Amino acid sequence: MDCALAECLQQGEAALMWTVTEAARLQGVDIPATAHCKLVRGAAGDAAVLEIYDTHLRGADVCVDTLAARRVVEAAVRCRRAEVTADVLTASKEAPKQVALLKSFASEGRHGEAMAVFRACPEKSSSLYNAVLDACIVDGRDMPSLKRIMSEAEAAGAADLVTYNMMIKAHLQAQDPQGARVALGAMQAAGFEPNVVTFNELIDASIRTSVH
């Protein structure tokens, strides 16, 4: 089944893909979630994507196929179906898959979708907080937004050395050395010692300041 759908997908024949799965369903063949994920990838339009998801994929770990998960989240955001995004991320129990989905949007500057993924995750790991902070820094988000996410990470006990280093970097990029010192103090108060990344950020900021 997966091989047949993959061939249809490569040929861009979405209608044929649907025919194959419907024929299998009518014959009582158990169609795996991976096959429906391929249908999602080949679907034309948000309505078709969400119909496939609602009918066949609710409760399944769509994040095993990052491209399919992207299509579902994109459609859900555009159609204001926040519960769909929540279902997708709730069904995916593995943090690396959630992080990969968030980063796939962040790498294209699609901050809205990246934040939708972040907010929809029922349990947020350190790696997820770090990924969204990195996305916010790259996207040039304002410092209050970064501080809110940082506060959430600290309250959840999810802030690690990488998280604090990111906040130090954000303050330095915003030309806020006092804020960087406060973040450094918070890092040490949390039991983390500065590492080579910390010192590199401080040195780079010092060089930039002396040049200007």
Side-chain angles (χ1 to χ4, degrees):
M1 172 63 65
D2 273 2
C3 291
L5 286 173
E7 184 177 351
C8 294
L9 183 62
Q10 289 173 356
Q11 296 175 5
E13 297 179 5
L16 180 56
M17 290 166 63
W18 183 264
T19 300
V20 170
T21 54
E22 281 300 288
R25 183 183 63 81
L26 292 173
Q27 293 175 19
V29 176
D30 185 22
I31 304 171
T34 51
H36 285 119
C37 282
K38 289 184 173 66
L39 273 177
V40 165
R41 290 165 60 184
D46 294 341
V49 168
L50 294 175
E51 180 184 359
I52 295 168
Y53 180 81
D54 287 333
T55 306
H56 302 291
L57 288 170
R58 278 196 178 274
D61 186 1
V62 183
C63 289
V64 296
D65 185 330
T66 302
L67 290 177
R70 276 175 56 96
R71 289 295 310 279
V72 174
V73 171
E74 288 167 349
V77 169
R78 283 193 289 262
C79 295
R80 302 180 185 274
R81 295 279 306 276
E83 81 283 0
V84 170
T85 305
D87 288 341
V88 169
L89 275 302
T90 298
S92 177
K93 304 298 184 183
E94 298 179 32
K97 294 178 186 176
Q98 298 169 342
V99 171
L101 180 58
L102 189 155
K103 285 185 174 181
S104 75
F105 287 119
S107 65
E108 297 175 1
R110 300 174 67 176
H111 190 76
E113 288 91 342
M115 286 304 300
V117 169
F118 174 72
R119 293 300 179 196
C121 288
E123 297 181 7
K124 298 176 176 63
S125 63
S126 296
S127 57
L128 191 72
Y129 276 108
N130 295 338
V132 77
L133 279 173
D134 186 53
C136 288
I137 292 170
V138 171
D139 196 54
R141 294 286 121 174
D142 58 289
M143 190 56 67
S145 297
L146 291 168
K147 288 181 177 178
R148 281 195 296 271
I149 295 172
M150 183 66 190
S151 295
E152 288 181 29
E154 290 177 317
D160 60 12
L161 180 59
V162 175
T163 320
Y164 286 105
N165 276 334
M166 285 190 170
M167 285 306 295
I168 291 171
K169 175 182 179 179
H171 281 291
L172 292 173
Q173 287 186 349
Q175 298 183 345
D176 177 18
Q178 178 58 32
R181 283 193 288 271
V182 171
L184 179 59
M187 170 196 287
Q188 293 173 311
F192 300 106
E193 290 301 319
N195 64 358
V196 65
V197 175
T198 315
F199 293 121
N200 282 341
E201 291 293 347
L202 295 170
I203 291 169
D204 288 346
S206 178
I207 293 172
R208 287 195 299 270
T209 302
S210 63
V211 169
H212 294 292

mmCIF file with all atom_site columns, all heavy atoms in Angstrom, residues 38-51:
data_model
loop_
_atom_site.group_PDB
_atom_site.id
_atom_site.type_symbol
_atom_site.label_atom_id
_atom_site.label_alt_id
_atom_site.label_comp_id
_atom_site.label_asym_id
_atom_site.label_entity_id
_atom_site.label_seq_id
_atom_site.pdbx_PDB_ins_code
_atom_site.Cartn_x
_atom_site.Cartn_y
_atom_site.Cartn_z
_atom_site.occupancy
_atom_site.B_iso_or_equiv
_atom_site.pdbx_formal_charge
_atom_site.auth_seq_id
_atom_site.auth_comp_id
_atom_site.auth_asym_id
_atom_site.auth_atom_id
_atom_site.pdbx_PDB_model_num
ATOM 1  N N   . LYS A 1 38 ? 0.683   10.231 3.499  1.00 0.00 ? 38 LYS A N   1
ATOM 2  C CA  . LYS A 1 38 ? 1.043   10.478 2.097  1.00 0.00 ? 38 LYS A CA  1
ATOM 3  C C   . LYS A 1 38 ? -0.111  11.161 1.365  1.00 0.00 ? 38 LYS A C   1
ATOM 4  O O   . LYS A 1 38 ? 0.109   12.020 0.501  1.00 0.00 ? 38 LYS A O   1
ATOM 5  C CB  . LYS A 1 38 ? 1.446   9.177  1.414  1.00 0.00 ? 38 LYS A CB  1
ATOM 6  C CG  . LYS A 1 38 ? 2.794   8.627  1.873  1.00 0.00 ? 38 LYS A CG  1
ATOM 7  C CD  . LYS A 1 38 ? 3.171   7.391  1.086  1.00 0.00 ? 38 LYS A CD  1
ATOM 8  C CE  . LYS A 1 38 ? 4.599   6.940  1.425  1.00 0.00 ? 38 LYS A CE  1
ATOM 9  N NZ  . LYS A 1 38 ? 4.747   6.488  2.811  1.00 0.00 ? 38 LYS A NZ  1
ATOM 10 N N   . LEU A 1 39 ? -1.344  10.779 1.713  1.00 0.00 ? 39 LEU A N   1
ATOM 11 C CA  . LEU A 1 39 ? -2.500  11.445 1.115  1.00 0.00 ? 39 LEU A CA  1
ATOM 12 C C   . LEU A 1 39 ? -2.530  12.924 1.497  1.00 0.00 ? 39 LEU A C   1
ATOM 13 O O   . LEU A 1 39 ? -2.828  13.793 0.673  1.00 0.00 ? 39 LEU A O   1
ATOM 14 C CB  . LEU A 1 39 ? -3.800  10.782 1.579  1.00 0.00 ? 39 LEU A CB  1
ATOM 15 C CG  . LEU A 1 39 ? -4.306  9.576  0.777  1.00 0.00 ? 39 LEU A CG  1
ATOM 16 C CD1 . LEU A 1 39 ? -5.553  9.023  1.440  1.00 0.00 ? 39 LEU A CD1 1
ATOM 17 C CD2 . LEU A 1 39 ? -4.598  9.972  -0.658 1.00 0.00 ? 39 LEU A CD2 1
ATOM 18 N N   . VAL A 1 40 ? -2.221  13.200 2.759  1.00 0.00 ? 40 VAL A N   1
ATOM 19 C CA  . VAL A 1 40 ? -2.196  14.587 3.223  1.00 0.00 ? 40 VAL A CA  1
ATOM 20 C C   . VAL A 1 40 ? -1.174  15.391 2.430  1.00 0.00 ? 40 VAL A C   1
ATOM 21 O O   . VAL A 1 40 ? -1.430  16.516 2.001  1.00 0.00 ? 40 VAL A O   1
ATOM 22 C CB  . VAL A 1 40 ? -1.867  14.655 4.735  1.00 0.00 ? 40 VAL A CB  1
ATOM 23 C CG1 . VAL A 1 40 ? -1.471  16.064 5.154  1.00 0.00 ? 40 VAL A CG1 1
ATOM 24 C CG2 . VAL A 1 40 ? -3.054  14.178 5.557  1.00 0.00 ? 40 VAL A CG2 1
ATOM 25 N N   . ARG A 1 41 ? -0.013  14.802 2.209  1.00 0.00 ? 41 ARG A N   1
ATOM 26 C CA  . ARG A 1 41 ? 1.049   15.498 1.482  1.00 0.00 ? 41 ARG A CA  1
ATOM 27 C C   . ARG A 1 41 ? 0.641   15.816 0.050  1.00 0.00 ? 41 ARG A C   1
ATOM 28 O O   . ARG A 1 41 ? 1.090   16.810 -0.534 1.00 0.00 ? 41 ARG A O   1
ATOM 29 C CB  . ARG A 1 41 ? 2.332   14.668 1.493  1.00 0.00 ? 41 ARG A CB  1
ATOM 30 C CG  . ARG A 1 41 ? 2.992   14.606 2.866  1.00 0.00 ? 41 ARG A CG  1
ATOM 31 C CD  . ARG A 1 41 ? 4.024   13.518 2.957  1.00 0.00 ? 41 ARG A CD  1
ATOM 32 N NE  . ARG A 1 41 ? 5.107   13.688 2.002  1.00 0.00 ? 41 ARG A NE  1
ATOM 33 C CZ  . ARG A 1 41 ? 6.104   12.822 1.836  1.00 0.00 ? 41 ARG A CZ  1
ATOM 34 N NH1 . ARG A 1 41 ? 6.138   11.723 2.574  1.00 0.00 ? 41 ARG A NH1 1
ATOM 35 N NH2 . ARG A 1 41 ? 7.056   13.049 0.964  1.00 0.00 ? 41 ARG A NH2 1
ATOM 36 N N   . GLY A 1 42 ? -0.213  14.972 -0.531 1.00 0.00 ? 42 GLY A N   1
ATOM 37 C CA  . GLY A 1 42 ? -0.619  15.181 -1.919 1.00 0.00 ? 42 GLY A CA  1
ATOM 38 C C   . GLY A 1 42 ? -1.950  15.887 -2.070 1.00 0.00 ? 42 GLY A C   1
ATOM 39 O O   . GLY A 1 42 ? -2.390  16.153 -3.191 1.00 0.00 ? 42 GLY A O   1
ATOM 40 N N   . ALA A 1 43 ? -2.603  16.222 -0.938 1.00 0.00 ? 43 ALA A N   1
ATOM 41 C CA  . ALA A 1 43 ? -3.925  16.837 -1.003 1.00 0.00 ? 43 ALA A CA  1
ATOM 42 C C   . ALA A 1 43 ? -3.856  18.266 -1.534 1.00 0.00 ? 43 ALA A C   1
ATOM 43 O O   . ALA A 1 43 ? -2.884  18.979 -1.310 1.00 0.00 ? 43 ALA A O   1
ATOM 44 C CB  . ALA A 1 43 ? -4.569  16.829 0.384  1.00 0.00 ? 43 ALA A CB  1
ATOM 45 N N   . ALA A 1 44 ? -4.912  18.650 -2.246 1.00 0.00 ? 44 ALA A N   1
ATOM 46 C CA  . ALA A 1 44 ? -4.977  20.007 -2.802 1.00 0.00 ? 44 ALA A CA  1
ATOM 47 C C   . ALA A 1 44 ? -5.917  20.858 -1.955 1.00 0.00 ? 44 ALA A C   1
ATOM 48 O O   . ALA A 1 44 ? -7.128  20.654 -1.965 1.00 0.00 ? 44 ALA A O   1
ATOM 49 C CB  . ALA A 1 44 ? -5.474  19.953 -4.245 1.00 0.00 ? 44 ALA A CB  1
ATOM 50 N N   . GLY A 1 45 ? -5.349  21.795 -1.194 1.00 0.00 ? 45 GLY A N   1
ATOM 51 C CA  . GLY A 1 45 ? -6.173  22.715 -0.417 1.00 0.00 ? 45 GLY A CA  1
ATOM 52 C C   . GLY A 1 45 ? -6.339  22.320 1.031  1.00 0.00 ? 45 GLY A C   1
ATOM 53 O O   . GLY A 1 45 ? -6.254  21.142 1.401  1.00 0.00 ? 45 GLY A O   1
ATOM 54 N N   . ASP A 1 46 ? -6.584  23.335 1.865  1.00 0.00 ? 46 ASP A N   1
ATOM 55 C CA  . ASP A 1 46 ? -6.708  23.123 3.305  1.00 0.00 ? 46 ASP A CA  1
ATOM 56 C C   . ASP A 1 46 ? -7.889  22.227 3.663  1.00 0.00 ? 46 ASP A C   1
ATOM 57 O O   . ASP A 1 46 ? -7.800  21.400 4.568  1.00 0.00 ? 46 ASP A O   1
ATOM 58 C CB  . ASP A 1 46 ? -6.861  24.472 4.017  1.00 0.00 ? 46 ASP A CB  1
ATOM 59 C CG  . ASP A 1 46 ? -5.610  25.329 3.910  1.00 0.00 ? 46 ASP A CG  1
ATOM 60 O OD1 . ASP A 1 46 ? -4.538  24.772 3.621  1.00 0.00 ? 46 ASP A OD1 1
ATOM 61 O OD2 . ASP A 1 46 ? -5.713  26.549 4.128  1.00 0.00 ? 46 ASP A OD2 1
ATOM 62 N N   . ALA A 1 47 ? -9.008  22.410 2.970  1.00 0.00 ? 47 ALA A N   1
ATOM 63 C CA  . ALA A 1 47 ? -10.202 21.626 3.288  1.00 0.00 ? 47 ALA A CA  1
ATOM 64 C C   . ALA A 1 47 ? -9.940  20.137 3.103  1.00 0.00 ? 47 ALA A C   1
ATOM 65 O O   . ALA A 1 47 ? -10.351 19.314 3.930  1.00 0.00 ? 47 ALA A O   1
ATOM 66 C CB  . ALA A 1 47 ? -11.370 22.071 2.415  1.00 0.00 ? 47 ALA A CB  1
ATOM 67 N N   . ALA A 1 48 ? -9.243  19.781 2.022  1.00 0.00 ? 48 ALA A N   1
ATOM 68 C CA  . ALA A 1 48 ? -8.936  18.367 1.754  1.00 0.00 ? 48 ALA A CA  1
ATOM 69 C C   . ALA A 1 48 ? -7.998  17.807 2.818  1.00 0.00 ? 48 ALA A C   1
ATOM 70 O O   . ALA A 1 48 ? -8.170  16.682 3.291  1.00 0.00 ? 48 ALA A O   1
ATOM 71 C CB  . ALA A 1 48 ? -8.313  18.222 0.369  1.00 0.00 ? 48 ALA A CB  1
ATOM 72 N N   . VAL A 1 49 ? -7.002  18.610 3.197  1.00 0.00 ? 49 VAL A N   1
ATOM 73 C CA  . VAL A 1 49 ? -6.053  18.171 4.224  1.00 0.00 ? 49 VAL A CA  1
ATOM 74 C C   . VAL A 1 49 ? -6.783  17.891 5.528  1.00 0.00 ? 49 VAL A C   1
ATOM 75 O O   . VAL A 1 49 ? -6.592  16.842 6.160  1.00 0.00 ? 49 VAL A O   1
ATOM 76 C CB  . VAL A 1 49 ? -4.963  19.242 4.451  1.00 0.00 ? 49 VAL A CB  1
ATOM 77 C CG1 . VAL A 1 49 ? -4.153  18.942 5.711  1.00 0.00 ? 49 VAL A CG1 1
ATOM 78 C CG2 . VAL A 1 49 ? -4.035  19.321 3.252  1.00 0.00 ? 49 VAL A CG2 1
ATOM 79 N N   . LEU A 1 50 ? -7.633  18.825 5.949  1.00 0.00 ? 50 LEU A N   1
ATOM 80 C CA  . LEU A 1 50 ? -8.328  18.666 7.219  1.00 0.00 ? 50 LEU A CA  1
ATOM 81 C C   . LEU A 1 50 ? -9.372  17.549 7.170  1.00 0.00 ? 50 LEU A C   1
ATOM 82 O O   . LEU A 1 50 ? -9.615  16.884 8.182  1.00 0.00 ? 50 LEU A O   1
ATOM 83 C CB  . LEU A 1 50 ? -8.979  19.989 7.625  1.00 0.00 ? 50 LEU A CB  1
ATOM 84 C CG  . LEU A 1 50 ? -7.979  21.110 7.951  1.00 0.00 ? 50 LEU A CG  1
ATOM 85 C CD1 . LEU A 1 50 ? -8.707  22.417 8.218  1.00 0.00 ? 50 LEU A CD1 1
ATOM 86 C CD2 . LEU A 1 50 ? -7.108  20.733 9.140  1.00 0.00 ? 50 LEU A CD2 1
ATOM 87 N N   . GLU A 1 51 ? -9.957  17.323 6.000  1.00 0.00 ? 51 GLU A N   1
ATOM 88 C CA  . GLU A 1 51 ? -10.914 16.208 5.882  1.00 0.00 ? 51 GLU A CA  1
ATOM 89 C C   . GLU A 1 51 ? -10.202 14.877 6.084  1.00 0.00 ? 51 GLU A C   1
ATOM 90 O O   . GLU A 1 51 ? -10.702 13.998 6.800  1.00 0.00 ? 51 GLU A O   1
ATOM 91 C CB  . GLU A 1 51 ? -11.590 16.231 4.515  1.00 0.00 ? 51 GLU A CB  1
ATOM 92 C CG  . GLU A 1 51 ? -12.595 15.090 4.338  1.00 0.00 ? 51 GLU A CG  1
ATOM 93 C CD  . GLU A 1 51 ? -13.200 15.027 2.953  1.00 0.00 ? 51 GLU A CD  1
ATOM 94 O OE1 . GLU A 1 51 ? -12.870 15.876 2.112  1.00 0.00 ? 51 GLU A OE1 1
ATOM 95 O OE2 . GLU A 1 51 ? -13.996 14.095 2.709  1.00 0.00 ? 51 GLU A OE2 1
#
